[in-house]
Amino acid sequence: MSDTVEIFTDGACKGNPGPGGWGALLVCKGVEKELWGGESTTTNNRMELTAAIRGLQELKRGCSVLLVTDSEYVMKGINEWMVNWKKRGWKTAAKQPVKNADLWQQLDEQVNRHEVKWQWVRGHNGHPGNERADDLANRGVDEVRGMRQA
């Protein structure tokens, strides 16, 4: 795994559920790529997961990745919960289906393609990469709501 890529991700939702957006900023060797999108009816957690998935999917070959998120849900899921969900067949400790299992499974598939280090940052706290990802996520929301053209 040669190239090191930084991926800054964020999700946004206006209403929960409601129209939502996701954003990912990829940085490698000083080159930046912005990704964003949205869904008309979704949740903030689904958008946070989608941002991470889409950022990792964009990488065409295995990379060393620093993935920066402000989502405690994504951080806890990837670092604490997922190993047991997989052992239990994507069920919680209470034997209930894992929420957003479809996206957690996609994220797991993408993480396995790369060497990923996860970093949490406090959202809306002036972190440049996180602020850019937030802007992209909001662009995704605006496009879904028909308020901004691509």
Side-chain angles (χ1 to χ4, degrees), residues 11-87:
C13 213
K14 306 302 180 196
N16 205 13
W22 59 270
L25 172 65
L26 285 69
V27 182
C28 182
K29 298 179 188 165
V31 178
E32 297 181 351
K33 182 164 192 174
E34 296 180 333
L35 306 171
W36 69 90
E39 295 178 21
S40 57
T41 306
T42 188
T43 64
N44 192 62
N45 284 342
R46 287 188 70 78
M47 292 295 90
E48 294 281 2
L49 286 165
T50 299
I53 292 163
R54 297 295 289 272
L56 291 168
Q57 281 176 338
E58 192 68 18
L59 305 174
K60 302 305 179 217
R61 63 182 181 279
C63 296
S64 177
V65 177
L66 173 63
L67 199 147
V68 181
T69 178
D70 64 4
S71 171
E72 291 186 38
Y73 175 70
V74 170
M75 288 298 289
K76 284 188 173 152
I78 205 78
N79 291 316
E80 298 173 30
W81 305 331
M82 192 186 296
V83 66
N84 289 318
W85 288 342
K86 288 164 74 171
K87 284 180 191 167

Side-chain angles (χ1 to χ4, degrees), residues 104-146:
W104 283 113
Q105 289 164 0
Q106 288 178 51
L107 183 58
D108 186 41
E109 187 179 305
Q110 291 305 314
V111 166
N112 287 328
R113 294 178 50 230
H114 306 285
E115 188 181 295
V116 182
K117 181 179 173 201
W118 295 85
Q119 181 181 335
W120 181 82
V121 296
R122 185 172 301 285
H124 313 288
N125 209 32
H127 185 287
N130 180 254
E131 296 292 340
R132 293 266 308 275
D134 180 64
D135 289 345
L136 293 168
N138 282 298
R139 184 183 302 180
V141 174
D142 289 348
E143 287 181 6
V144 166
R145 295 162 90 190

